[in-house]
């Protein structure tokens, strides 16, 4: 099914609202990056007092430093033409100040804090956790959808049931279990509970239910073992759902901060979002710093997502060819 | 049928497993939760205790390397040098998540030894009664305690004992944007003192052309608006904390005067009440807005507004006086709290560290750098804000501030009252209705 | 029912060692496949949840918890703030869940037939914002709702109306939060629907088109029914998400004005973390659990696997 036959007009009518919605959806993300690069407390020669562009409402749509840098560059060139060296160097200094102030929170994060360590911690926790989640949940989801065995529906409903108790009340018992297993202040305290979530199994089960059973039966007749069937038939077919789960699980692990703060005491062991919290002042957190932290946290997930994108398409072709 | 039996059996098994594990886990309240490696017997005071003391603190002010934990890290290093064999483990804890982390850790049986008490919830009567907070009195002489401001010390007192060492006081005062006063040609109050009528008159002169005289918010555990309610003599609870008194005629007239600012005189923002701290502060201080002449703020806002990026020309004033003729302000006290200890030697050493952190000098340094008011009279006498008359005025207000009532159920009482106040400020209820409606809820909490 | 019959057959053959082995061969691998997940799930999810159930019958004290039977439950239902929060949360769920699933289905259906490159672009633009934390999304929305500088009041002003105190009015605040929820594109839902559509056999569509079905008929008669398992998943997950709405409340209104936007999990959080009444918080959670579970079972009956099986049967004939 494609829209080719419906003509250009119909297509345009479709694209415009979709693009509009996409832009609305993307705005907060865009705003995070712009604010992280916004010019704070700056004064040029025409201003009476310093101005901050960071907290302006409505928000500025682009980093104001660009405009300011441009105008200073212009003035510097004019001054050079007139041979006014003093003015030229003044404007050159202003240009430097604009750049420095634009990136001030980035240089603070990368020079004065453990942000690189936190990034590394989070990356490997999220990758390990995601790998385990996707593997175990696909295995479990597959048998829950396609195998008959006693206790099947019990496990299914148990999985659904546990999601209905809010995390807020299970924090304390989870904390106790982590201590009981002597995992406190280690990364396992973050990874293992991350592997225990219910939603992934449920997701994979729902996805597998829709996969035609005939395909699996055919593989059985070929005499393939269970594990081989799983590896060669189930996994390729489930690729789109696995990709989705891989992304959900990664984003979840990446963004969680309260649990790491609770189970990790050593600040060098913290995850990124948790570590960034330890830099926020008590009463008034700096907007620019907050947004810079959010931007630094968002970039790796965005890269991860874009890398994973192709598996959505891959799943589609495999599923199509096989039948 | 078989299927049903299977699931029944497994449910039963699971239930048993859960019960066993939950009982085991639930009673696992090991008070000496830290990894202390204590070697000495209780009472053996000659040989100094050695081991690890776990301390939770949040980010404070930066040093030249932009490290917000440098103050406590330096203190740790100095203390460890003085006491060989003792290590201080500093847990860098975000202020916003400090309480959540602490509550989970206490309920999970693994609390720190010392914690910096934000908004005085740790030394609440509820916690003291449960036995999780240690009293400090055996380590302090009466003379030493006399060096603390009485209102600060009282915030840590319960049944004659003190549960924590106060470090700094925060207080609410009115901040005046003098630029707007100048623009409109309005004289700020002399010495920051004014009556409600004078205040209202100036508010009217300041309002107009997109600028409003006054605004604030009302939320549980925020007390910016309360001095208005109390200026005619109204008080939330009776002195012995057994009666609800916020529906007295004095309190109702106080709230009415506050509501009149919005509904009758229209000198306050039409959305006054339901905004939050960050947005309200932005509307007051952000350079491209500044549409509010006067706002009540907690003391942190004074230093914040004076500094970059706000660099505001401001003045600190008292809350206006009402029929009682007295200006009221409310405040709270932050300080160090020691949690339940098993080992006497460790308790002594931990207290030693607290004393090390709360000398006259350290409290002076904290006040000066962090923009909070000292809890020690001797630190106050060194005038940490000598160069900043606005902070000095706020410090005077702090010394006489009323503190939040200390009642076991205060947070619930507070919430019940504040939610009724929200309904009054957004026009759903009248002043009288709101304060009377809070009565039944508060009374059941006072029992 | 069909599935359970087969399960019975599988379990019913336990009589002789030989058939034991046969049964094991048939069902053993299933348990092995489940094992790693069940171990972790049992330890880190089932145990804490079980603990919550047990605690709901206790009065929690730091050093001295004791059993009090059903008293927490009785008290929870007497607490007007909690029952009010239940009602608010219920309304919030009823309004937002169907709308967000419908939005996800429509957007995904519109995006799916586009070329690969467009699909990739839209998938990224709708999903990527999900990576920004709720805290930051809430900050943007506080600006949108802002009385003086907000986008909404700007729009309202264009139509010559008075500015509105979106979050400050008792009758309006909850609706504003619902509006916010509905207007944020459901990135995860779109992503999942796209993944599910991607694994539908394209020849199904071809056959239908040859039969002369219109695009809308194909969508209604083939696409939507085939997406049922995903819809069921999204329905359960969005419902749980809506019933457990928390961060938005903390960031936007704190439950106010009055108790107008108080929600169940916000009350549970305050009861447990602020007041240290974990027994009561657990009882409140169990009440929430029973309500969601009840609706989930109902939804399963309406939409669950049977629907899929029946559809397949019909298709196969």
């Amino acid at each position: 099914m494609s829209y080719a036959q419906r003509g250009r007009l119909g297509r345009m009518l479709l694209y415009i609202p979709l693009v509009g919605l996409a832009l609305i959806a993307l705005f907060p993300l865009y705003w995070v990056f712009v604010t992280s690069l916004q010019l704070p407390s700056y004064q040029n020669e025409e201003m009476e007092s310093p101005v901050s562009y960071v907290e302006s409402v409505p928000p500025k749509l682009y980093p104001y430093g660009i405009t300011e840098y441009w105008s200073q560059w212009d003035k510097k060139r004019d001054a050079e033409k007139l041979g006014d060296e003093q003015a030229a160097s003044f404007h050159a200094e202003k240009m430097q100040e604009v750049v420095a102030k634009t990136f001030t929170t980035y240089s603070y994060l990368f020079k004065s804090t453990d942000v690189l360590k936190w990034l590394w911690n989070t990356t490997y926790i999220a990758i390990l956790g995601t790998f385990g989640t996707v593997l175990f949940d696909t295995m479990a989801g597959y048998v829950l959808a396609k195998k008959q065995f006693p206790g099947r529906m019990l496990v299914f409903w148990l999985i659904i049931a546990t999601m209905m108790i809010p995390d807020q009340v299970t924090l304390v018992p989870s904390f106790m279990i982590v201590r009981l297993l002597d995992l406190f202040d280690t990364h396992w305290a973050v990874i293992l509970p991350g592997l225990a979530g219910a939603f992934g199994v449920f997701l994979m089960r729902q996805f597998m239910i829709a996969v035609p059973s005939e395909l699996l039966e055919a593989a059985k007749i070929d005499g393939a073992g269970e594990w081989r069937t799983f590896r060669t038939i189930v996994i390729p077919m489930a690729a789109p759902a696995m990709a989705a789960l891989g992304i959900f699980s990664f984003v979840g692990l990446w963004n969680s901060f309260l649990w790491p703060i609770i189970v990790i005491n050593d600040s060098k062991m913290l995850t990124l979002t948790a570590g960034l919290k330890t830099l926020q002042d008590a009463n008034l957190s700096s907007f620019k710093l907050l947004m810079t932290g959010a931007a630094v946290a968002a970039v790796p997930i965005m890269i991860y997502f874009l890398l994973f994108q192709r598996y959505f398409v891959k799943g589609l072709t495999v599923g199509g060819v096989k039948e | 049928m078989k299927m049903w039996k299977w699931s029944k059996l497994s449910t039963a098994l699971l239930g048993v497993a859960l019960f066993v594990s939950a009982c085991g886990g639930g009673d696992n309240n090991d008070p000496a939760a830290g990894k202390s490696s204590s070697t000495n017997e209780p009472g053996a005071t000659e040989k100094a205790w050695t081991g690890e003391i776990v301390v939770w603190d949040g980010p404070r002010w930066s040093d030249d390397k932009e490290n917000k934990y440098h103050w406590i890290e330096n203190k740790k290093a100095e203390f460890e040098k003085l006491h060989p064999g003792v290590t201080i483990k500093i847990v860098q804890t975000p202020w916003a998540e400090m309480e959540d982390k602490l509550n989970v850790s206490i309920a999970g049986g693994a609390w720190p030894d010392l914690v910096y008490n934000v908004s005085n919830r740790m030394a609440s009567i509820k916690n003291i009664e449960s036995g999780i907070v240690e009293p400090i009195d055996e380590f302090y002489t009466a003379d030493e305690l006399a060096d603390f401001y009485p209102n600060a010390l009282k915030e840590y007192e319960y049944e004659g004992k003190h549960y924590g060492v106060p470090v700094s006081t925060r207080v609410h005062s009115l901040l005046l944007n003098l630029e707007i006063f100048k623009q409109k040609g309005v004289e700020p109050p002399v010495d920051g003192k004014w009556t409600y009528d004078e205040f209202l008159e100036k508010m009217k002169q300041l309002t107009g052309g997109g600028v409003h005289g006054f605004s604030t918010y009302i939320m549980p555990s925020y007390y910016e608006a309360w001095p208005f309610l109390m200026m005619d003599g109204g008080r939330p609870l009776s002195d012995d904390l057994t009666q609800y008194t916020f529906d007295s005629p004095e309190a109702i007239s106080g709230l009415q005067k506050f509501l009149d600012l919005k509904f009758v005189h229209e000198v306050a923002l039409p959305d006054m009440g339901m905004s939050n701290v960050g947005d309200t502060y932005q509307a007051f201080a952000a350079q491209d807005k500044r549409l509010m002449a006067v706002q009540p703020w907690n003391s942190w806002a004074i230093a914040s507004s004076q500094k970059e990026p706000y660099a505001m020309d401001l003045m600190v004033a008292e809350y206006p006086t009402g029929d009682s003729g007295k200006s009221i302000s409310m405040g709270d006290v932050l300080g160090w709290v020691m949690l339940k200890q098993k080992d006497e030697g460790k308790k002594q050493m931990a207290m030693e560290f607290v004393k090390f952190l709360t000398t006259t000098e350290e409290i002076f340094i904290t006040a000066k750098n962090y923009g909070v008011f000292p809890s020690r009279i001797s630190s106050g006498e060194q005038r940490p804000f000598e160069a900043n008359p606005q902070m000095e005025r706020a410090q005077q207000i702090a010394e006489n501030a009323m503190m939040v009532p200390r009642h076991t159920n205060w947070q619930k009482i507070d919430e019940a009252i504040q939610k009724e106040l929200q309904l009054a400020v957004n026009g759903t209820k009248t002043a009288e209705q709101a304060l009377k409606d809070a009565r039944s809820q508060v009374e059941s909490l006072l029992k | 029912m069909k599935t359970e019959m087969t399960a019975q057959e599988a379990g019913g053959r336990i009589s002789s060692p030989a058939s034991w082995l046969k049964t094991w061969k048939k069902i053993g691998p299933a348990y092995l496949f489940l094992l790693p997940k069940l171990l972790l799930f049992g330890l880190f999810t089932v145990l804490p949840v079980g603990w919550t159930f047990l605690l709901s019958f206790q009065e929690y004290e730091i050093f001295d918890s004791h059993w009090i039977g059903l008293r927490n439950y009785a008290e929870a239902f007497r607490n007007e703030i909690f029952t009010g929060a239940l009602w608010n949360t219920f309304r919030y769920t009823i309004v937002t869940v169907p709308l967000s699933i419908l939005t996800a289905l429509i957007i995904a259906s519109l995006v799916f037939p586009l070329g690969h490159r467009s699909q990739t672009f839209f998938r990224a633009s709708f999903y990527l914002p999900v990576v920004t934390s709720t805290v930051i999304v809430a900050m943007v929305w506080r600006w949108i709702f802002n009385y003086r500088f907000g986008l909404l009041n700007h729009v309202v002003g264009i139509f010559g109306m008075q500015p509105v105190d979106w979050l400050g009015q008792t009758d309006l605040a909850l609706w504003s939060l619902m509006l916010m929820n509905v207007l944020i594109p459901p990135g995860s839902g779109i992503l999942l629907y796209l993944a599910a559509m991607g694994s539908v056999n394209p020849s199904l569509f071809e056959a239908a088109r040859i039969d002369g079905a219109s695009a809308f008929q194909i969508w209604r008669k083939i696409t939507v029914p085939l997406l049922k398992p995903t819809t069921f998943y999204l329905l359960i997950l969005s419902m749980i998400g809506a019933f457990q709405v928390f961060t938005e409340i903390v960031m936007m209104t704190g439950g106010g004005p009055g108790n107008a936007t108080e929600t169940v999990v916000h009350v549970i959080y305050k009861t447990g973390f602020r007041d240290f009444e974990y027994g009561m918080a657990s009882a409140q959670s169990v009440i929430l659990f029973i309500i969601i579970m009840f609706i989930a079972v109902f939804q399963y009956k309406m939409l669950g696997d049977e629907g899929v099986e029946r559809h397949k049967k019909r298709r196969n004939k």
Side-chain angles (χ1 to χ4, degrees), chain C residues 7-21:
Chain C
Q8 252 187 50
E9 285 160 29
R13 264 189 238 137
I14 311 171
S15 51
S16 70
S19 64
W20 253 105
L21 193 70

Side-chain angles (χ1 to χ4, degrees), chain C residues 173-219:
Chain C
L174 188 66
W175 289 98
S176 300
L177 293 180
M178 294 179 193
L179 182 75
M180 163 178 154
N181 182 294
V182 169
L183 286 184
I184 296 173
S188 307
I190 294 171
L191 190 79
L192 270 183
Y193 270 132
L194 282 175
M197 287 174 185
S199 56
V200 171
N201 187 348
S203 60
L204 280 178
F205 298 132
E206 288 302 324
R209 193 150 353 112
I210 290 163
D211 289 349
S214 74
F216 183 71
Q217 278 174 326
I218 294 175
W219 184 75

Side-chain angles (χ1 to χ4, degrees), chain B residues 100 103 210 415 419 426 428, chain C residues 148 168 170 262 269-270 273:
Chain B
D100 287 356
N103 283 348
E415 188 181 21
K419 294 213 147 168
N426 80 0
T428 311
Chain C
R148 305 189 89 183
T170 313
E262 204 59 85
Y269 171 80
K270 285 188 292 187
F273 279 62

Side-chain angles (χ1 to χ4, degrees), chain B residues 29-44:
Chain B
N29 288 316
D30 172 16
K35 291 160 200 158
S36 80
S37 57
S38 156
T39 46
N40 71 327
E41 305 289 292

Side-chain angles (χ1 to χ4, degrees), chain B residues 1 18 21-22 29 100 103 107 126 130 210 270-271 276 279 289 291 411-412 415 419 422-423 426 428, chain C residues 8 47 54 60 62-63 142 147-149 168 170 256-259 262 269-270 273-278:
Chain B
M1 271 295 117
L18 276 177
S21 63
N29 288 316
D100 287 356
N103 283 348
K126 192 163 200 160
S130 78
D271 69 336
N276 68 7
D279 293 353
K289 295 189 210 83
L291 299 170
Q411 285 182 308
K412 286 185 183 173
E415 188 181 21
K419 294 213 147 168
Q422 285 181 342
L423 294 177
N426 80 0
T428 311
Chain C
Q8 252 187 50
L47 275 186
L54 289 181
Y60 176 85
I62 297 174
F63 295 112
R142 275 216 314 270
Y147 182 81
R148 305 189 89 183
F149 317 104
T170 313
N259 291 315
E262 204 59 85
Y269 171 80
K270 285 188 292 187
F273 279 62
R274 188 195 65 190
D275 305 333
F276 241 82
E277 295 171 12
Y278 282 110

Side-chain angles (χ1 to χ4, degrees), chain B residues 151-318:
Chain B
N151 64 351
L153 205 55
K154 220 178 140 213
E155 273 293 278
Y156 286 84
E157 195 184 308
Y158 178 66
E159 292 186 342
K161 283 185 177 173
H162 297 92
Y163 293 84
V165 181
V167 171
S168 55
T169 307
R170 297 186 304 188
V171 72
H172 295 101
S173 55
L174 296 183
L175 301 200
L176 281 49
N177 181 343
L178 290 181
E179 284 161 40
I180 296 181
F181 275 77
K182 265 176 223 152
Q183 273 168 27
K184 303 258 176 182
V186 180
E187 278 299 313
V190 180
D191 292 332
K193 294 182 198 303
W194 41 12
T195 64
Y196 177 78
D197 295 332
E198 289 164 353
F199 169 78
L200 179 61
E201 196 46 47
K202 289 192 198 294
M203 289 303 110
K204 284 179 179 165
Q205 292 167 15
L206 288 161
T207 302
V211 171
H212 279 88
F214 180 82
S215 190
T216 189
Y217 41 74
I218 290 174
M219 282 185 290
S221 80
Y222 286 84
Y223 300 101
E224 277 81 349
W226 283 41
F228 282 91
L229 276 76
M230 291 152 71
M231 74 185 167
D232 286 347
R235 294 290 179 272
L237 303 177
S238 61
D239 287 340
D240 59 358
L241 306 181
T242 56
Q243 298 291 320
Y244 173 75
T245 54
F246 234 14
D247 55 356
S248 66
E250 294 83 17
I252 291 170
S253 84
L255 178 56
Q256 193 57 53
K257 283 178 181 168
F258 180 74
L259 297 180
D260 287 350
L261 295 175
K262 176 174 171 176
F263 295 114
V264 177
H265 309 296
E266 297 183 346
V267 297
L269 267 184
D271 69 336
M272 175 167 88
M274 267 306 286
S275 197
N276 68 7
V277 180
D279 293 353
T280 309
Y281 186 72
Q282 290 310 324
F284 177 68
Q287 279 160 333
D288 61 338
K289 295 189 210 83
R290 299 212 170 159
L291 299 170
M292 212 70 61
V294 178
Q295 269 186 359
W297 282 105
N298 206 332
S299 32
W300 60 265
I302 305 172
S304 287
S305 313
Q306 288 175 331
K307 276 189 305 206
E308 295 277 294
Y310 304 109
M312 200 168 166
D313 183 12
L314 65 79
M315 174 176 161
V316 169
E318 293 178 4

